[in-house]
Amino acid sequence: NIDNGIGSTIEGHLINGGLEATFIDSWAGVGDLPVGLIQSWGTYMSEGTSDDWFLSDYIMIWIGNPRYTRVTDAHFLWEARYRGAKVVTISPDFSASAIHADRWLNVRVGTDAALALGMVYVILTENLYDREYIKEQTDLPFLVRADNGRFLRESDVKEGGADDEFYFWNRVNGRKTIATGTWGSDVMTLEMDDDEDPDLEGFHTVKLLNGKSVRVRPVFELLRKHVKDYSPEQVATITGVAATNIRQVAREMAAVKSAMIF
């Protein structure tokens, strides 16, 4: 249990408190703060309470066992099934949570990343993704430099430009455009104007501050290239999860209106 015992958050607080030491927020230490929430609402931890789980159409329990660790809340997960939700538990062991799930993917220890990429492979190759959502709500349209693999930043092309403002390629005018809503942006919204339409595919050329030109392409293009090595058949040999099960879960999750990962 990450909440108590050896290596837990409370153990760290007890040790540091006993030493009267200064310690930072544990999330800040691992860079795990939900930055999108801070940007959108001005505060973090402003998502719904556990009863909100009941409204999900598809629930994945991944790297967790809420039947043991969230005893007082877990009933919302199981009760969601009465309104038609499906619950999928992804864990190496047949846990207490897996018993209550509609599907159990018994992934080999340490191969979760491959399983996730296998699902992404299915969603991308079968065109099950929401293009408009990706364009507005993710960094997949952001341009990446071919020479160093880094995001194209305002500081790369503009004197005194910011390191935390990034670009997408605008299909409307055929030019690079600053993406709003990033940490360094003065416009703290992800909503785009009518004259903005991020491109998700293809190479483009931009001129850098030093006068040189560099080729750039969206993260989406790089992701699509990366997952080519993670077909469900290939992932099955890594994870031990059958290819048919990987495809089924990926398709089901992509098809619902409201999905969540616990």
Side-chain angles (χ1 to χ4, degrees), residues 8 12 19 36 46 53 60 66 70 73 78 81 85 88 114 121 138-140 143 145 162 168 231 240 247 260 262:
S8 67
L19 295 173
S46 54
W53 303 344
M60 279 191 179
R70 298 291 294 274
D73 301 321
W78 322 134
R81 297 172 68 193
V88 178
Y121 175 98
T138 76
D139 64 357
L140 292 178
L143 298 175
R145 294 174 52 165
F168 62 83
S231 69
R247 281 197 170 86
M260 66 164 281
F262 176 92

Side-chain angles (χ1 to χ4, degrees), residues 8-196:
S8 67
T9 302
I10 190 63
E11 181 190 52
H13 280 279
L14 288 172
I15 291 174
N16 285 295
L19 295 173
E20 296 186 356
T22 299
F23 54 98
I24 63 174
D25 183 274
S26 59
W27 277 12
V30 298
D32 199 25
L33 274 173
V35 177
L37 282 170
I38 299 173
Q39 294 175 347
S40 300
W41 307 113
T43 182
Y44 67 96
M45 298 295 280
S46 54
E47 64 269 26
T49 49
S50 53
D51 57 339
D52 218 20
W53 303 344
F54 179 76
L55 302 177
S56 299
D57 301 317
Y58 205 78
I59 300 168
M60 279 191 179
I61 298 171
W62 205 334
I63 316 180
N65 186 7
R67 191 65 190 89
Y68 275 179
T69 63
R70 298 291 294 274
V71 176
T72 57
D73 301 321
H75 67 95
F76 291 116
L77 298 170
W78 322 134
E79 288 163 5
R81 297 172 68 193
Y82 285 105
R83 54 174 297 276
K86 284 188 177 180
V87 178
V88 178
T89 295
I90 300 174
S91 65
D93 59 318
F94 190 57
S95 66
S97 296
I99 292 172
H100 295 279
D102 296 280
R103 308 196 190 287
W104 170 44
L105 302 187
N106 56 326
V107 61
R108 290 192 184 112
V109 174
T111 64
D112 300 78
L115 178 60
L117 288 168
M119 293 180 185
V120 173
Y121 175 98
V122 174
I123 292 171
L124 291 187
T125 57
E126 297 185 9
N127 294 315
L128 303 178
Y129 53 92
D130 185 337
R131 289 183 69 89
E132 296 308 311
Y133 179 90
I134 286 176
K135 289 178 180 181
E136 182 182 79
Q137 295 290 323
T138 76
D139 64 357
L140 292 178
F142 285 15
L143 298 175
V144 178
R145 294 174 52 165
D147 58 343
N148 59 16
R150 288 167 54 86
F151 282 131
L152 179 69
R153 303 160 191 268
E154 188 184 39
S155 57
D156 292 335
V157 299
K158 182 180 178 182
E159 187 73 41
D163 286 331
D164 48 6
E165 289 208 54
F166 312 101
Y167 291 93
F168 62 83
W169 193 262
N170 192 353
R171 297 178 63 198
V172 176
N173 58 18
R175 301 179 63 181
K176 67 182 185 302
T177 301
I178 285 283
T180 61
T182 62
W183 193 258
S185 177
D186 293 329
V187 182
M188 298 306 288
T189 177
L190 300 178
E191 186 177 5
M192 292 179 291
D193 296 329
D194 293 337
D195 59 352
E196 294 178 331

Side-chain angles (χ1 to χ4, degrees), residues 188-229:
M188 298 306 288
T189 177
L190 300 178
E191 186 177 5
M192 292 179 291
D193 296 329
D194 293 337
D195 59 352
E196 294 178 331
D197 183 18
D199 201 352
L200 294 177
E201 291 97 7
F203 276 96
H204 308 281
T205 302
V206 299
K207 190 175 182 180
L208 301 177
L209 182 62
N210 60 13
K212 296 182 179 179
S213 295
V214 65
R215 298 185 80 195
V216 294
R217 56 179 167 173
V219 176
F220 182 83
E221 189 81 48
L222 293 168
L223 176 63
R224 194 164 57 178
K225 178 182 178 182
H226 183 63
V227 298
K228 285 183 178 180
D229 295 328

